[in-house]
Structure formats: C-alpha cells, structure tokens
Amino acid sequence: QGDCGGRECDLLKTEIRDLQEQLKALKATVGKIQKAWIFMNGNSAGEKTFQANGSEGDFETSKATCSQAGGLLASPRNSAENTAIQQIVVRHNKAAYVGINDIETEGSFKYLSGEAIGYSNWAGGEPNNLGTEDCVEIYPDGRWNDRSCNEKRLIICEF
Ligand code: 289
Ligand code: CA
C-alpha cells in the first residue's frame, strides 16, 4: 500500500495515473454517446436503455434481431422500464413483443432467461390464451396482452 520505491515503482505510479485519466475521459465519452443514442429514438430506465430502429418481426425474429445487435428483446421488470418501452410503442404507433412468454408451460410466464416474471401489467381480462397465445405484446397504453407469437410487431431491444 504505497510502500514501493525506486524508479520502477515511479514508472508504475505514472502509468496508473495515466490509466485513471484515460478511464475518466472514456467514461465521459461513453456518457455522451449514451445520451445522444437515447435522444435518437431511444429511452432509458435505470441502467437499461431501450431502442427501436423501426423494424418489425414475429417473436422469434424480434428475439434474434436484438440478440444479433448484442442486446435482448425488451423485457420490462418494473413499471419504470414498462413506461420507457411504452413510450417507444407510442412513438412508433405499433405494439411490440416483450421478452416474456409461456411457451414452455401454459400460464407460467417467464423471461427469456427462464426466470419467472416478477412484474406484470396485464390488460383487463388478460392473459386469456385465446386460441393459443404464448407470447406477450405491449400496447400503446403500456398494458400487456398474451398473443400468438406469429404476428408482426415493432422490435424494441434493451441494452
Ligand atoms: O386473436 C385474438 C387477439 O386478436 C386478441 O383479441 C382481443 O384483443 C383479446 O381477446 C385478446 O386477448 C386477444 O389476444
Ligand atoms: Ca390475449
């Protein structure tokens, strides 16, 4: 703890200081890029940022599109995240699939990770599994409906 000495030690100290400065500058740059990115169509809640590029797809396509982009199909875990996603749905005037489904066990809704959902915002009377509805769409009012996984919906990813 600060008790090294000699030329080698001084060099190391200088290198650490340089790295600390570079890290600070890098954090500032990342912060600016994040803000600009959110400004262009995105939204944020807590640590998450949500983004849509206007493309649409069924549930599998939506999932794959987000994962190919290095993200995850938007998966609201609380009301702040749900509102952030809802605002993008409103902006595009198009419902979106969320990363929640009961494909494995009817009536047991899970995140893409397989974990049971800990938050929900179902519309009145939902989920009703009309026909077979194993995926979940979010409406412009932020409420959820279980829906066939084969519809075309706005793709919203979280990063
Ligand atoms: O095919 C049924 C869907 O279009 C939806 O129709 C009504 O909005 C409600 O019954 C929904 O639950 C259903 O998913
Ligand atoms: Ca339904």
Side-chain angles (χ1 to χ4, degrees):
Q1 198 216 351
D3 55 357
C4 73
R7 195 175 129 68
E8 218 170 304
C9 187
D10 286 345
L11 277 173
L12 277 174
K13 282 180 183 167
T14 308
E15 268 180 43
I16 288 170
R17 237 169 273 138
D18 276 0
L19 283 171
Q20 280 171 334
E21 268 169 38
Q22 282 180 43
L23 187 62
K24 200 174 154 192
L26 193 62
K27 279 182 179 170
T29 306
V30 169
K32 276 192 189 180
I33 293 170
Q34 250 177 348
K35 280 183 205 134
W37 192 65
I38 290 162
F39 181 68
M40 300 187 312
N41 277 321
N43 216 345
S44 69
E47 297 289 292
K48 283 188 191 177
T49 61
F50 299 96
Q51 192 80 22
N53 65 5
S55 65
E56 298 178 6
D58 61 18
F59 178 67
E60 282 304 322
T61 303
S62 299
K63 228 172 47 165
T65 299
C66 291
S67 125
Q68 275 155 23
L72 191 73
L73 183 58
S75 307
R77 285 175 179 259
N78 55 53
S79 65
E81 292 182 3
N82 202 71
T83 301
I85 297 165
Q86 175 196 352
Q87 285 167 352
I88 297 176
V89 167
V90 168
R91 215 176 287 156
H92 289 261
N93 193 27
K94 178 84 185 169
Y97 283 116
V98 291
I100 292 169
N101 66 79
D102 72 341
I103 292 169
E104 202 178 84
T105 309
E106 179 50 39
S108 171
F109 286 90
K110 292 173 182 163
Y111 299 115
L112 302 177
S113 64
E115 182 193 343
I117 57 169
Y119 161 83
S120 64
N121 197 35
W122 297 112
E126 307 297 346
N128 61 1
N129 196 36
L130 205 73
T132 300
E133 299 186 311
D134 290 345
C135 287
V136 179
E137 63 180 343
I138 175 169
Y139 293 141
D141 69 358
R143 295 280 165 185
W144 301 359
N145 173 38
D146 62 337
R147 191 71 190 248
S148 153
C149 300
N150 302 321
E151 305 296 330
K152 254 190 142 188
R153 292 290 176 263
L154 176 69
I155 301 174
I156 305 177
C157 308
E158 64 178 47
F159 297 92

